[in-house]
Amino acid sequence: MTQEKFLLICQLGMGLFWIITYILIIKQGFQDKKYGMPMAAICANISWEFIFAFMYPQNDLQRIITFLWFMLDVFIMMQFLLYGYKEYKKIIPRKIFYSSFFITLAVSFFIILAMIHEFNDIAGKYTAFSQNLMMSGLFIALFIQRGNLSGQSMGIAVCKMIGTMFAAVGFYMYFRTPLITIISLATLIYDWIYIVLIYRFYVKYAK
C-alpha cells in the first residue's frame, strides 16, 4: 500500500468516526436533555474547526471533513447552552453561566491562533492533538461529576477512541514528533479508561 493510500484511509477513518461520535453526542443529548461535551472541549473544538475550515483550510477532503465537524459542533454547542444552565443554576447566576461560556470561546479561539503562530502549525496538528487529549480527560471528569451516563454512552466513547487511533497511527507512521507521540498515547490511555468506566457502570447498574 502506498503512503498516499494509507494516509487517505487514516484521514477518512478519523473523519468518519469523529463524525459518528458527534452525531451520537447530539442524539444522546436530546434524548437525555443534557449536554454531552464539556464546555472547554466545545469551545476548543468549535474554534479549531472554524479556523481550519475557513481561515487555514487544508486539502479539499480535510476541509470538507472539518466543515462537517464544525456544523455538528454547532448543534453540540446549542445543546450546552440549552441544557447546561439547568445543571449549574444552584451554583451560579444565569448571566455568569452564559458569559463564562462566551469568554471561554473567545479565549480558546485566540489561544489556538497564537499556538498556530508560535509553533508555525499551519496544519493544526499540535492544537488538534492537544485539545483531543483535553477532551478525553474532560469526558472522564464529566462522567465522575455526574455519576451517571447522562449525555454519554459507550458508542460515543468507542467511536472517539477509534477516530483517535486513525489519527494517531497516520501521524506516527509519517509525521511523528516526540510531543505528538506522547499526546497520542496519553489520549488513547484516557479513552480506554473512559470506556472501562462506562463498561463498569453498565455492569453495575444496567439490569
Side-chain angles (χ1 to χ4, degrees):
M1 183 183 297
T2 65
Q3 175 180 340
E4 290 76 14
K5 287 183 179 178
F6 182 82
L7 289 175
L8 178 61
I9 290 171
C10 289
Q11 186 180 21
L12 290 171
M14 172 192 69
L16 175 62
F17 278 96
W18 281 346
I19 285 171
I20 295 172
T21 300
Y22 290 169
I23 291 172
L24 290 176
I25 289 173
I26 293 168
K27 175 179 176 293
Q28 198 68 40
F30 282 128
Q31 180 178 313
D32 296 340
K33 299 192 184 322
K34 292 275 189 177
Y35 66 89
M37 188 182 290
M39 182 178 75
I42 297 171
C43 292
N45 273 4
I46 206 165
S47 295
W48 189 96
E49 289 152 4
F50 180 87
I51 289 169
F52 287 99
F54 302 106
M55 297 173 65
Y56 295 104
Q58 305 303 303
N59 60 67
D60 290 340
L61 175 59
Q62 187 56 49
R63 186 174 193 176
I64 292 169
I65 291 171
T66 303
F67 178 75
L68 291 174
W69 290 343
F70 174 76
M71 294 304 296
L72 290 169
D73 260 331
V74 168
F75 282 96
I76 293 172
M77 179 184 70
M78 290 170 59
Q79 287 183 327
F80 180 83
L81 296 175
L82 180 63
Y83 301 130
Y85 177 67
K86 298 174 184 177
E87 204 161 323
Y88 299 102
K89 62 182 180 181
K90 294 182 179 179
I91 305 174
I92 57 174
R94 185 184 296 272
K95 289 182 179 180
I96 298 297
F97 173 80
Y98 289 113
S99 61
S100 65
F101 174 83
F102 288 108
I103 289 171
T104 304
L105 182 62
V107 169
S108 299
F109 181 83
F110 287 111
I111 285 177
I112 292 170
L113 284 179
M115 288 180 69
I116 293 168
H117 175 76
E118 188 86 9
F119 293 101
N120 192 25
D121 187 24
I122 301 301
K125 55 184 182 293
Y126 290 106
T127 48
F129 277 86
S130 297
Q131 68 190 50
N132 192 28
L133 174 60
M134 176 186 69
M135 189 190 310
S136 296
L138 289 174
F139 271 123
I140 295 172
L142 183 63
F143 173 78
I144 293 172
Q145 172 193 319
R146 287 176 171 165
N148 57 57
L149 286 177
S150 297
Q152 302 171 84
S153 71
M154 180 63 80
I156 292 169
V158 170
C159 288
K160 182 193 180 302
M161 184 176 189
I162 295 173
T164 296
M165 288 178 65
F166 273 110
V169 170
F171 271 83
Y172 183 79
M173 292 297 293
Y174 298 107
F175 309 108
R176 65 178 174 268
T177 68
L179 178 57
I180 287 181
T181 300
I182 292 170
I183 292 174
S184 297
L185 289 173
T187 304
L188 289 169
I189 290 169
Y190 281 126
D191 285 348
W192 178 248
I193 292 171
Y194 185 48
I195 289 171
V196 170
L197 288 173
I198 292 176
Y199 175 77
R200 287 169 62 89
F201 183 87
Y202 276 132
V203 170
K204 186 173 182 179
Y205 294 105
K207 303 296 185 181

